[in-house]
Amino acid sequence: MVQLDHKQLWETVADRLRDEILDGHLPAGARLVEADLASRFGVSRGPIRDALADLSRSGLVVDLPRRGTSVASLREQDLAEVYEVRRALEEGAVRMAIARGTAEDFAEMDRLLAATENAYHAGSLPVAWEADMAFHRVYCRMAGNGRLLELVDRLASQTLLLMRTALAEHASLAWTPPVEVPRRIADAIRARDGEGAVRAVANHYQYTEDRLAGRAKTD
Amino acid sequence: MVQLDHKQLWETVADRLRDEILDGHLPAGARLVEADLASRFGVSRGPIRDALADLSRSGLVVDLPRRGTSVASLREQDLAEVYEVRRALEEGAVRMAIARGTAEDFAEMDRLLAATENAYHAGSLPVAWEADMAFHRVYCRMAGNGRLLELVDRLASQTLLLMRTALAEHASLAWTPPVEVPRRIADAIRARDGEGAVRAVANHYQYTEDRLAGRAKTD
DNA sequence: ACATGTGCGATTGTCAACAGTTAGCATTCG
DNA sequence: CGAATGCTAACTGTTGACAATCGCACATGT
């Protein structure tokens, strides 16, 4: 049986809004008025509400009762929170993933590592970040835990938004970790080295933290 | 400023439904028909939809498109998933918590450990489980990461539901870990021993896993 | 000048009704 | 007798309208 994935109206709306938020078309803090969106997309407010509820779940918008919803403007504090949770989840993920990786998974990781570096050197940071997110996603998928994967996805969205909005203020965010850092994760998983993989993930986040802390000092 | 929490209609509905699900009044698999609930609570379908969406987020109900929502009937697989994610999050949480624990936090942990054991010996398992969840929640709150705490809360709901429904089938689930196991977590946090706390959490979940695996074999 | 009260516009919360889809059952045809 | 087809009732997805609430600006009084 072919699973044709018919999207509900609110899913289509949510996808569209998510894109507009992540590509910066809807800047942080922008108000999302249900009636406006309804007329813009030619639907009623019901699906709009559902879509906004989903984006709120993902942390891309904030929803103040009786006062409407607006695009989340995430701060330093949020960045730290997201990274802490992602680190915890990914450390768990690699431990589970080591038993289940297939050759295709490893090939995809290699491909994404290369894509990240290429995009970085080509100067296309958003593309590099997305490839990096996809890289992390691969081994989280390998963990074979649907709940974990969904959480990672939602946090990845928030991370992308954070990077985008933060980059607008701090040019020093225009970087990705040197490819060796994430590669160590891939290598450890490939070698079925659980503790090594956990260390590699910790190292990756430590590196990122240090780099961000450095920014805080030098800016 | 005092945060008085005025509840939206859907929140009230969600709380009520959550209770009814967790105390077994609404058994696993029970269909939740929007119109029925609307007339039962004397509201329209709108707030009911919002409430169901929230419960779906928490994993307490499943939502099949165009076919309505019903109380989640979680399986062995789900139990494993939830525990894996909880373990990952809590290992991260204790690492963050060691720096931030206050005397009140430690007192509350002690109190909850005692409450768990008392309720267990008094034969009131649901109470014991809830106290245990609250215990875990304390050090997750100490981590000072709102996102992490919210995830832990949602997973705790699922765990309670799992325990309840599983208990109905397997009497051998009628237990809690010996109080020493969670106490080691509290002790390590109190001693500001980060790696020890991580080990204690891992140990706790390992113990639970073994016990559950034992059930699978002996039942 | 400052605090307090009041009216207005904007926006969400809630409701009731319509339309499309689904599962189950009866019916028909081979 | 079995499989495919066509109905039917139940339910969700969606809509448009109404009511309640909030923020803001202006007026009023001290």
Side-chain angles (χ1 to χ4, degrees):
Chain A
M1 167 177 161
V2 188
Q3 282 287 352
L4 56 85
D5 41 45
H6 172 70
K7 281 193 173 131
Q8 301 282 76
L9 209 37
W10 69 263
E11 290 180 276
T12 311
V13 173
D15 288 345
R16 178 69 170 274
L17 285 176
R18 190 180 357 259
D19 288 345
E20 295 192 7
I21 291 171
L22 289 180
D23 70 11
H25 202 280
L26 283 170
R31 297 212 44 183
L32 299 172
V33 177
E34 297 178 358
D36 294 351
L37 296 173
S39 68
R40 181 145 84 87
F41 291 123
V43 299
S44 78
R45 278 177 52 214
I48 300 289
R49 284 174 69 87
D50 292 343
L52 291 179
D54 184 66
L55 295 178
S56 171
R57 231 179 294 167
S58 299
L60 290 183
V61 304
V62 289
D63 195 359
L64 303 180
R66 289 268 171 208
R67 292 211 271 156
T69 97
S70 44
V71 178
S73 61
L74 303 168
R75 319 192 155 284
E76 205 108 355
Q77 169 72 17
D78 297 287
L79 185 80
E81 282 205 358
V82 170
Y83 272 124
E84 281 180 347
V85 178
R86 284 185 59 197
R87 173 179 166 179
L89 288 174
E90 292 196 9
E91 284 190 16
V94 290
R95 210 184 284 117
M96 308 177 218
I98 51 167
R100 305 172 189 164
T102 68
E104 296 91 59
D105 293 326
F106 298 131
E108 194 175 358
M109 286 201 288
D110 288 337
R111 192 178 59 73
L112 288 167
L113 283 174
T116 305
E117 202 164 20
N118 287 340
Y120 178 60
H121 286 131
S124 177
L125 268 164
V127 175
W129 288 336
E130 270 183 58
D132 182 57
M133 291 295 159
F135 166 73
H136 289 259
R137 190 176 196 278
V138 173
Y139 57 76
C140 290
R141 174 157 45 78
M142 280 166 58
N145 186 314
R147 285 169 170 79
L148 188 144
L149 185 58
E150 196 191 324
L151 296 181
V152 168
D153 279 340
R154 294 196 181 281
L155 291 167
S157 294
Q158 290 185 56
T159 304
L160 283 175
L161 177 57
L162 272 161
M163 296 305 240
R164 255 209 63 82
T165 58
L167 176 61
E169 300 171 17
H170 306 283
S172 56
L173 269 175
W175 60 280
T176 64
V179 71
E180 295 83 37
V181 177
R183 186 177 298 284
R184 269 200 286 274
I185 301 175
D187 290 342
I189 298 175
R190 205 186 317 247
R192 316 282 184 200
D193 173 10
E195 288 317 304
V198 171
R199 272 198 310 276
V201 170
N203 206 271
H204 185 289
Y205 280 96
Q206 191 63 53
Y207 179 91
T208 307
E209 252 175 61
D210 290 347
R211 179 75 196 239
L212 291 172
R215 173 183 65 69
K217 279 177 209 145
T218 57
D219 268 15
Chain B
M1 168 177 159
V2 188
Q3 281 288 351
L4 55 86
D5 42 23
H6 171 68
K7 283 193 173 131
Q8 301 281 80
L9 206 39
W10 69 264
E11 289 180 277
T12 311
V13 173
D15 288 344
R16 178 70 170 274
L17 284 176
R18 192 184 349 262
D19 288 345
E20 293 191 10
I21 291 172
L22 288 179
D23 71 11
H25 201 280
L26 283 170
R31 297 212 47 190
L32 300 171
V33 177
E34 296 178 359
D36 294 351
L37 297 173
S39 67
R40 181 144 83 86
F41 291 123
V43 298
S44 79
R45 279 176 52 211
I48 300 288
R49 282 174 71 86
D50 291 343
L52 291 179
D54 183 67
L55 295 177
S56 172
R57 243 174 281 168
S58 298
L60 290 182
V61 305
V62 288
D63 193 1
L64 303 180
R66 290 263 168 214
R67 296 206 313 191
T69 98
S70 44
V71 178
S73 60
L74 301 169
R75 318 194 155 285
E76 205 108 355
Q77 168 73 16
D78 296 288
L79 186 79
E81 282 206 357
V82 170
Y83 273 126
E84 281 179 347
V85 178
R86 284 185 60 196
R87 173 179 166 180
L89 288 174
E90 292 196 7
E91 285 190 17
V94 290
R95 211 184 283 118
M96 309 177 218
I98 50 167
R100 307 173 186 163
T102 69
E104 295 91 58
D105 291 327
F106 297 131
E108 193 176 359
M109 287 201 288
D110 287 338
R111 190 178 61 72
L112 288 166
L113 283 174
T116 305
E117 201 163 23
N118 287 341
Y120 178 60
H121 286 132
S124 175
L125 267 165
V127 175
W129 288 335
E130 270 183 57
D132 182 56
M133 292 294 160
F135 166 74
H136 288 259
R137 192 177 196 277
V138 173
Y139 57 77
C140 290
R141 175 157 45 79
M142 282 166 57
N145 187 314
R147 285 170 170 80
L148 188 144
L149 185 58
E150 195 191 324
L151 296 181
V152 168
D153 279 341
R154 294 195 181 282
L155 291 167
S157 294
Q158 289 185 57
T159 305
L160 283 174
L161 176 58
L162 272 161
M163 296 303 241
R164 254 210 63 81
T165 58
L167 176 61
E169 299 172 16
H170 307 283
S172 57
L173 270 176
W175 58 282
T176 64
V179 72
E180 296 82 38
V181 177
R183 185 176 298 283
R184 269 200 286 273
I185 301 174
D187 289 343
I189 298 175
R190 205 185 318 245
R192 316 280 185 200
D193 173 11
E195 288 316 305
V198 171
R199 272 199 309 276
V201 170
N203 207 273
H204 184 289
Y205 279 96
Q206 192 62 52
Y207 179 91
T208 308
E209 253 176 59
D210 289 348
R211 178 76 197 237
L212 290 171
R215 173 184 66 70
K217 281 177 207 143
T218 57
D219 267 15

